[in-house]
Amino acid sequence: MQLQVARIGKPHGIRGEVTVQVLTDAPEARFVPGTEFLVEPARLGPLTVSSARWNKDILLLGFEQVADRNRAEEIRGAKLFVETEELQDDGEEGWYEHELVGLEARVGSQVVGKVTALNTMPAQDLLVIEGADGKEILVPFVEEIVPEVNPDGGYVLLVPPPGLFELNSDEPRSDEPKSDDGGAGRDGDGARA
């Protein structure tokens, strides 16, 4: 079985480097020069890493097969995979994106959306959930907020802190005043997003 470890983003510079969305917990070990990845779509690969460096929180990769910006643009959106046999029994408990995508997101018994992605970040991973209204909700993938992952049952259980679902919304919450001349919150200042 193949495991997706990254998605290629936009080109960076003119020498063929690309940004990547990292989908693995160990990018420093995974993206080393000489590593070859299977690619989807297959016509774009395989790709062999020639350089890897961080620019702030963004990983930039160079590939032996990508010499310039035009070729880098051609591979934009491609997915990078490894064979999972090499990942077995590493002693760490964790979840891979393919195990989570499609699971229902529940708060108690109420379905609030579906998991659409897992963003692996330096500080903590984020579950990307598409809410019932079609909006994207980013949920910190920590045990306090996601205490249960049940692939067999088809769901993840969430215990969101107050306001978590409103953080990504540009619209005022229903308890937020619409103007300064009335409807103040409990403390007189009104609710803050």
Side-chain angles (χ1 to χ4, degrees):
M1 187 172 152
Q2 295 176 357
L3 173 70
Q4 184 180 353
V5 294
R7 184 177 297 118
I8 295 176
K10 61 185 180 182
H12 181 83
I14 60 171
R15 298 176 191 227
E17 276 188 317
V18 293
T19 62
V20 294
Q21 177 187 9
V22 177
L23 303 172
T24 177
D25 290 336
E28 290 80 10
R30 179 66 54 210
F31 303 105
V32 294
T35 302
E36 184 176 276
F37 291 103
L38 302 170
V39 182
E40 184 182 293
R43 64 180 170 73
L44 298 176
L47 293 173
T48 306
V49 176
S50 60
S51 66
R53 65 187 178 95
W54 290 94
N55 182 7
K56 298 180 182 166
D57 289 337
I58 299 171
L59 180 62
L60 302 174
L61 292 181
F63 296 103
E64 292 176 7
Q65 298 83 354
V66 181
D68 58 31
R69 187 177 182 91
N70 291 337
R71 175 72 174 122
E73 189 64 51
E74 290 174 14
I75 63 171
R76 186 176 189 166
K79 299 174 182 178
L80 301 180
F81 291 86
V82 294
E83 291 292 338
T84 58
E85 287 77 37
E86 65 186 81
L87 303 173
Q88 298 301 318
D89 298 324
D90 61 2
E92 281 189 33
E93 184 178 329
W95 297 97
Y96 295 113
E97 183 177 41
H98 72 275
E99 298 172 303
L100 301 167
V101 170
L103 297 180
E104 288 181 346
R106 299 180 184 173
V107 176
S109 60
Q110 179 186 1
V111 177
V112 296
K114 275 204 179 307
V115 177
T116 59
L118 173 65
N119 286 349
T120 306
M121 309 297 280
Q124 68 187 15
D125 296 344
L126 296 171
L127 279 181
V128 181
I129 295 174
E130 182 179 319
D133 58 1
K135 292 187 178 173
E136 187 176 86
I137 304 162
L138 300 177
V139 176
F141 195 24
V142 294
E143 192 169 352
E144 296 79 26
I145 298 174
V146 188
E148 183 180 352
V149 176
N150 189 333
D152 295 331
Y155 67 91
V156 294
L157 185 64
L158 307 178
V159 182
L164 177 66
F165 291 159
E166 289 82 16
L167 280 177
N168 297 323
S169 175
D170 294 333
E171 299 171 14
R173 297 193 317 248
S174 59
D175 64 339
E176 192 169 290
K178 303 283 190 271
S179 67
D180 293 337
D181 59 355
R186 285 187 296 262
D187 61 1
D189 292 334
R192 294 195 174 117

